[in-house]
Amino acid sequence: MARATQPMVFVDLETTGATATVDRITEIGIVEVDEDGEVHQWSTLVNPQTPIPSFIQGLTGITDSMVADAPLFESVADEVMARLHGRLFVAHNARFDYGFLKNEFKRLGLTFKAPVLCTVKLSRKLYPQHAKHSLDALIERHDLHMPARHRALADADVLRQFWQVLARDVDADVLDKAVSELTGRSSWPTHLDPALLDDLPEKHGVYRFYGDNDLPLYIGKANNLRQRILSHFSADHRLAKEMSLSQQVRRIDWIETPGEMGALLTEAQMIKRWQPIHNRRLRRSDELCTWRLVPFQHDDDEGLRPELAWARDLDWGRQDAVYGLFGSQRDALKTLRELAEDAQLCLATMGLEKVQTGRPCFGYQLKRCSGACVGEESLSAHTARLQRVLADWQVQVWPYGGPVAVKEGAAWHILDAWCYLGTARCEADVDHLLAQGRPTFDKDTYKILVSWLPKMVVEPLATQRETLS
């Protein structure tokens, strides 16, 4: 597939800047390679209808005077579309060139879509031993001919030369596999809209797979949405779970987040809300419970013993001295028994075993208890050991006086008492989130925040409101 058996087009653009939605094209270079290997070259300057920044003029050599009499993009749009149609779109940092062309066509009310292959990613995949994969690095490493660097047609032809090197030096099956994986076309389910492939962003976010209705089948988090979504389908022939998901999915959507922390929080929140059938981890469990220590007295001795407490009775995040987050009473009891037995704590003294006062517990008879049940260990000493054993299980108290803002990218995550209220981009968003009130305490959100907050800049919300406005 990846040889001369499919038509290809090697593309390079020169532009007025790096933002496809704002900046414009100043030059287009296209090298077409037909199925039989025949090569056709075409290029044109383009009037961008905006001044070219001086540093870009210095980089490319393309000046305002050179493009003053050049055609507008709308004048060459039909020819460009015809040359690109039905071909594999190959470019260096391909999302850049593809994005610019897609936006230029969009301004004219035209839709442009093509399978895209990035030669930066292709070089990284085939030559992982090398650290650099810029066009200059490829030119030097593979001894490619470059008559005019940073001119569109010359740069496009360098990519054609690079492809010739790959066709000569790389095993055909290896090259074909690499192209298939990078374009994603070979594994994309036929029942999904192929146009989605062109829209998948390479950003942090959360994605949802749907079946025949509006209930998500699966919700996932990604540091690179495009890469992660495609990975589900590239693995569908190896993993039963991925195969099943691939066969059921009919629609995909996603939400971009400012970073990984936002993706994790959004994923946990959405899974709790929608309960997708393919998500086992992070799904809602029974009501949370925990252990707290309550005082008790025997004769003249005083100590503490564990008592099971339920989420509905606690102010989670502000509750001091509670231990463990359990989805059921059974899990809480099992964990506490295991901890007690390992530390030779007395189950009877802890209230986990019923024995007559003053009589030895079962663990004492097996030499698994230090004797608090028969007075050989004081209640205060037993309590001290119990507190040491439980220390690693203590639920952290919210270390701030109220809601806080955590900056990630261009947004702020609003948090309170280990709860995620939402993400704000302006002061109005903050007011809206605070007005909704604090959501139910969630164990998975708590774990995410305990892990991430030490890495982030956390500021009391009152000091951030001006920044957010």
Side-chain angles (χ1 to χ4, degrees), residues 9-81:
V9 59
F10 299 90
V11 180
D12 187 78
L13 306 176
E14 302 303 332
T15 67
T16 61
T19 306
T21 55
V22 176
D23 296 307
R24 304 299 293 271
I25 295 172
T26 59
E27 188 176 36
I28 304 171
I30 297 176
V31 179
E32 304 164 61
V33 179
D34 294 333
E35 294 179 6
D36 58 4
E38 187 175 351
V39 177
H40 306 277
Q41 295 188 346
W42 179 86
S43 69
T44 182
L45 290 168
V46 178
N47 186 335
Q49 299 178 283
T50 187
I52 303 173
S54 58
F55 77 94
I56 290 182
Q57 292 190 42
L59 178 68
T60 65
I62 300 174
T63 64
D64 289 331
S65 60
M66 289 172 61
V67 298
D69 296 325
L72 304 179
F73 182 82
E74 62 185 64
S75 301
V76 298
D78 288 343
E79 182 164 7
V80 173
M81 182 73 84

Side-chain angles (χ1 to χ4, degrees), residues 209-223:
F209 287 175
Y210 297 88
D212 293 321
N213 56 39
D214 290 332
L215 296 177
L217 296 169
Y218 180 80
I219 295 174
K221 154 268 182 193
N223 291 335

Side-chain angles (χ1 to χ4, degrees), residues 3 6-13 28-35 38-42 79-92 94 97-98 101 112-119 153 155-157 159-160 163:
R3 305 269 152 171
Q6 69 167 324
M8 310 174 70
V9 59
F10 299 90
V11 180
D12 187 78
L13 306 176
I28 304 171
I30 297 176
V31 179
E32 304 164 61
V33 179
D34 294 333
E35 294 179 6
E38 187 175 351
V39 177
H40 306 277
Q41 295 188 346
W42 179 86
E79 182 164 7
V80 173
M81 182 73 84
R83 290 179 179 278
L84 301 179
H85 179 71
R87 297 174 180 270
L88 177 64
F89 186 103
V90 186
H92 211 63
D97 301 271
Y98 185 74
L101 283 171
F112 170 60
K113 295 174 182 176
V116 178
L117 177 64
C118 178
T119 47
L153 187 59
D155 285 0
D157 191 63
L159 299 181
R160 180 192 64 82
W163 183 263

Side-chain angles (χ1 to χ4, degrees), residues 405-425:
V406 177
K407 186 171 177 61
E408 188 176 40
W412 295 85
H413 303 305
I414 308 304
L415 314 169
D416 188 20
W418 305 116
C419 293
Y420 170 55
L421 280 64
T423 298
R425 287 173 172 78

Side-chain angles (χ1 to χ4, degrees), residues 135 138-140 142-146 158-159 161-162 165:
L135 198 56
L138 265 58
I139 292 169
E140 181 179 356
H142 301 289
D143 194 25
L144 307 177
H145 176 62
M146 168 49 73
V158 164
L159 299 181
Q161 295 176 50
F162 175 57
V165 170

